[in-house]
Amino acid sequence: MKMEQVIGSVVPDVIPAKATNLPDNLSPQCIGREFVRCYYTLLHDNPNKLHRFYLDQSTFVHGNQTDETAECVSGQRAIHEKIMSLNFVDCRTKIKHVDSQPTIDDGVVVQVSGELSNAGKLPRRFMQTFVLGSQTPRKYYVHNDILGIRMSLWI
């Protein structure tokens, strides 16, 4: 799915664990789009609450072109600390593309690409892949998260 969406304006107090106004049989694309909207809005508005998307069995890895081996952290607390160490401030995301597909045990794989700027700096290309684990038919958590930020500018 091709998207051209800038995220960073709507301020939800708390991102709900499930969207209550959506139909019961959601496609992976619908789940992916709604997740992307919620995740990147919260990244902009309140990054210190991003850990709420993760559980104790979740993993997160953040890498860039200079990392030889990016450190993978596990568990909600460690992921929260890692996200806080990235110092996201007024993070703006321009989503270029979102692909979603079903995976094992009713989960959804979501791949996002676009531009990310932090603290007023120039935007950088990024690619982020999420594996959303299903808790109930309409409730998901981030089981795996791989974030890669390119050092070159998006041209």
Side-chain angles (χ1 to χ4, degrees), residues 15-88:
I15 298 297
K18 66 178 183 177
T20 57
N21 59 346
L22 297 173
D24 285 337
N25 293 330
L26 298 174
S27 69
Q29 294 78 17
C30 183
I31 293 165
R33 278 193 310 269
E34 182 63 14
F35 170 75
V36 165
R37 183 191 66 76
C38 290
Y39 188 91
Y40 292 103
T41 297
L42 195 61
L43 175 64
H44 172 266
D45 296 332
N46 210 346
N48 65 328
K49 292 185 179 178
L50 274 178
H51 68 281
R52 294 180 177 184
F53 284 105
Y54 303 87
L55 298 179
D56 286 338
Q57 65 266 33
S58 300
T59 61
F60 174 84
V61 64
H62 168 264
N64 60 45
Q65 288 177 317
T66 61
D67 290 341
E68 290 187 24
T69 304
E71 176 191 5
C72 181
V73 295
S74 299
Q76 190 180 56
R77 182 181 303 263
I79 292 169
H80 176 67
E81 291 169 2
K82 179 65 176 178
I83 291 170
M84 292 293 87
S85 76
L86 298 174
N87 295 316
F88 289 121

